[in-house]
Every structure is written in C-alpha cells, then in structure tokens.
Amino acid sequence: MAISKDDILNAVSEMSVMDLNELVKAFEEKFGVSAAAMAAPAAGGATGGAAAAEEQTEFNLVLSEVGANKVGVIKAVREITGLGLKEAKDLVDGAPKTVKEAMAKADAEAAKKKLEEAGAKADLK
C-alpha cells in the first residue's frame, strides 16, 4: 500500500521538533544528502534575464572608505551592528569590509545613510 503525500505531510505536522530533527538526520543518512540551505547561483548565463527581473530583497552593507572622521564612523558602525568598541574599530580599520549582511532594503539604506553622514563611503551589494 502506497502512502500519499498528504499522509506524510499530516504525519510530519504532528511531530515534535526533536522528532523532526531525527527524521531529517535519517533522510540525510539514508539518501546521502544534506539539509543545509544551498547558496543561490550567481545571476548570469542563460537565466540572467529572469534573475535581473527579480528585485533584490537582501543587501550587504559594505564600508568602502572611512573618510576623515574615523571616530564618527566607528560610532556609526557600533550603532548599526551592536559591536563593541574594539570590534568596531577593527572593522573600520579593515575597510573595505562588509559591515552587516542580509539586511532589508529600508534598513540597509538607513544604515548606509548613517555611515555617509559620519563621513564614510558605503555601498549596498
């Protein structure tokens, strides 16, 4: 007797988190696969037109140049990331460097503006 997809989905929806974790591990072992999320392929090639039509939803904030007001930039980085003073200083000293990854568009633009007001140059990627 074959089990339908609906039967499987109903059984999974009734499982606890621990049971689901064990189920995923069993799938990984049985089929030799990994449940880790795959990275999205780079836009280009044959699917370049379709990928370009989709709007980007997550942005990485990159500190390009520090500028003259290094202290102000460090303060802005601390405010954006929540890093401590030493970590923020190291990030600013290592420019160009990614400040924060996978930000929503509005948050990324606000953070970029904050860095630029502090005298730095920042990019969204």
Side-chain angles (χ1 to χ4, degrees), residues 47-67:
T47 60
E54 294 180 29
E55 186 175 339
Q56 185 176 353
T57 58
E58 291 186 342
F59 295 87
N60 294 342
L61 178 62
V62 178
L63 178 64
S64 303
E65 295 178 26
V66 177

Side-chain angles (χ1 to χ4, degrees), residues 57-59 101-110:
T57 58
E58 291 186 342
F59 295 87
E101 296 179 337
M103 298 176 72
K105 185 175 183 175
D107 294 338
E109 288 175 349

Side-chain angles (χ1 to χ4, degrees), residues 65-78:
E65 295 178 26
V66 177
N69 187 7
K70 185 175 177 181
V71 174
V73 175
I74 292 171
K75 288 179 181 180
V77 167
R78 288 188 68 198

Side-chain angles (χ1 to χ4, degrees), residues 1-13:
M1 177 176 180
I3 300 174
S4 73
K5 292 178 198 173
D6 290 332
D7 292 337
I8 294 172
L9 289 173
N10 287 333
V12 168
S13 69

Side-chain angles (χ1 to χ4, degrees), residues 3-119:
I3 300 174
S4 73
K5 292 178 198 173
D6 290 332
D7 292 337
I8 294 172
L9 289 173
N10 287 333
V12 168
S13 69
E14 295 173 3
M15 292 179 144
S16 71
V17 174
M18 293 302 291
D19 290 338
L20 287 172
N21 187 29
E22 291 174 9
L23 179 65
V24 169
K25 287 180 183 177
F27 273 112
E28 289 175 340
E29 290 175 14
K30 171 111 177 145
F31 299 109
V33 295
S34 174
M38 291 179 29
T47 60
E54 294 180 29
E55 186 175 339
Q56 185 176 353
T57 58
E58 291 186 342
F59 295 87
N60 294 342
L61 178 62
V62 178
L63 178 64
S64 303
E65 295 178 26
V66 177
N69 187 7
K70 185 175 177 181
V71 174
V73 175
I74 292 171
K75 288 179 181 180
V77 167
R78 288 188 68 198
E79 189 175 325
I80 293 166
T81 62
L83 292 174
L85 181 60
K86 181 179 179 350
E87 292 83 6
K89 182 184 179 301
D90 291 344
L91 190 148
V92 169
D93 287 340
K97 196 133 186 167
T98 301
V99 176
K100 197 166 183 181
E101 296 179 337
M103 298 176 72
K105 185 175 183 175
D107 294 338
E109 288 175 349
K112 179 182 176 191
K113 183 178 178 186
K114 208 173 273 188
L115 284 172
E116 288 174 345
E117 287 173 352

